[in-house]
Amino acid sequence: AQKVTQAQTEISVVEKEDVTLDCVYETRDTTYYLFWYKQPPSGELVFLIRRNSFDEQNEISGRYSWNFQKSTSSFNFTITASQVVDSAVYFCALSVLTQGGSEKLVFGKGTKLTVNP
Amino acid sequence: GAVVSQHPSRVICKSGTSVKIECRSLDFQATTMFWYRQFPKQSLMLMATSNEGSKATYEQGVEKDKFLINHASLTLSTLTVTSAHPEDSSFYICSALTGRSYEQYFGPGTRLTVT
């Protein structure tokens, strides 16, 4: 089965704390992509990162960092020094190759992050 | 670049009527567009994949006669919810692929309420 599991349904932190959002995936594909999206209360999905399955280097972008561990099929997302504006639902997603040859995204259930002042 | 718009952003309709939602790629040609549905506090579920000039491919469990998808041009795909019922109330989101990358660009979503 191709699926994405985000075990944390909701997380609440106080501003300036670091927080890690977990993502575990299952896939039978040897080549795939993993994504993280942010969905603020407005509803629009904001693309954060795309990671190729062959690239296991960790990535840092400002206060955001991602840890891709192929051995444990995990792609965790850490926000350092969280801010109130980080409050949103965060989705992890996996690209899946369809029979028609195109790719579609399978999303996890999302983690709602609330950063309190 | 890579902006996707949806219209309308919100719509309220009466049970039994049909509603059309438009998804447009504003500054690129979208070879493939996707339609998702998101129920409150839930994840995005892919409904169908739409390729320009061909019939849409629907996910298992999605009624193609109820959710009509037309991808008439490289910049426009439409989703028509026919004979809408209250259980069709949801947040509908489209996304588009440029054909040059694997990144899907998402529209802002359309909130449908069926009364």
Side-chain angles (χ1 to χ4, degrees):
Chain A
Q2 322 247 54
K3 68 186 244 185
V4 175
T5 302
Q6 293 180 256
Q8 305 146 309
T9 306
E10 293 194 38
I11 299 176
S12 184
V13 299
V14 176
E15 210 169 14
K16 296 184 184 176
E17 283 186 26
D18 299 345
V19 58
T20 296
L21 309 182
D22 298 332
C23 173
V24 174
Y25 63 92
E26 293 177 36
T27 181
R28 55 177 174 265
D29 295 338
T30 53
T31 301
Y32 51 90
Y33 290 86
L34 293 161
F35 301 77
W36 275 95
Y37 289 89
K38 173 182 179 180
Q39 187 178 42
S42 61
E44 184 166 356
L45 280 173
V46 177
F47 168 81
L48 295 178
I49 190 171
R50 173 174 69 95
R51 177 45 52 92
N52 183 307
S53 56
F54 292 111
D55 183 1
E56 288 194 67
Q57 280 192 352
N58 291 333
E59 180 149 345
I60 297 175
S61 176
R63 296 185 296 108
Y64 296 169
S65 62
W66 291 270
N67 185 316
F68 178 28
Q69 300 266 347
K70 212 167 176 179
S71 59
T72 55
S73 297
S74 66
F75 187 43
N76 297 338
F77 171 34
T78 297
I79 301 175
T80 303
S82 60
Q83 299 176 2
V84 173
V85 293
D86 295 327
S87 297
V89 180
Y90 290 86
F91 290 98
C92 181
L94 166 72
S95 65
V96 173
L97 200 61
T98 68
Q99 287 185 340
S102 64
E103 294 211 355
K104 64 179 185 182
L105 291 180
V106 173
F107 284 83
K109 291 186 183 298
T111 297
K112 181 179 180 181
L113 172 65
T114 302
V115 181
N116 298 300
Chain B
V3 177
V4 176
S5 71
Q6 278 185 244
H7 178 79
S9 57
R10 280 180 186 272
V11 57
I12 301 173
C13 71
K14 291 188 176 179
S15 191
T17 61
S18 295
V19 174
K20 180 185 283 189
I21 302 170
E22 292 186 350
C23 176
R24 291 183 187 273
S25 56
L26 297 185
D27 51 1
F28 66 98
Q29 292 186 328
T31 53
T32 304
M33 286 183 168
F34 301 87
W35 285 97
Y36 295 85
R37 180 166 56 185
Q38 184 181 28
F39 290 109
K41 297 186 179 181
Q42 294 195 25
S43 188
L44 283 77
M45 299 299 296
L46 180 65
M47 300 174 67
T49 303
S50 163
N51 291 297
E52 187 265 340
S54 62
K55 289 184 179 180
T57 302
Y58 289 81
E59 294 298 299
Q60 196 171 11
V62 178
E63 299 174 60
K64 61 181 180 181
D65 294 331
K66 180 167 185 62
F67 298 100
L68 301 178
I69 291 172
N70 186 338
H71 193 157
S73 76
L74 285 172
T75 59
L76 173 65
S77 177
T78 61
L79 167 68
T80 301
V81 183
T82 62
S83 187
H85 291 286
E87 56 265 30
D88 298 324
S89 298
S90 187
F91 193 53
Y92 292 88
I93 306 173
C94 73
S95 69
L97 278 177
T98 65
R100 292 193 302 275
S101 78
Y102 289 106
E103 182 178 341
Q104 289 188 26
Y105 297 96
F106 284 84
T110 296
R111 191 164 301 282
L112 169 64
T113 304
V114 185
T115 61

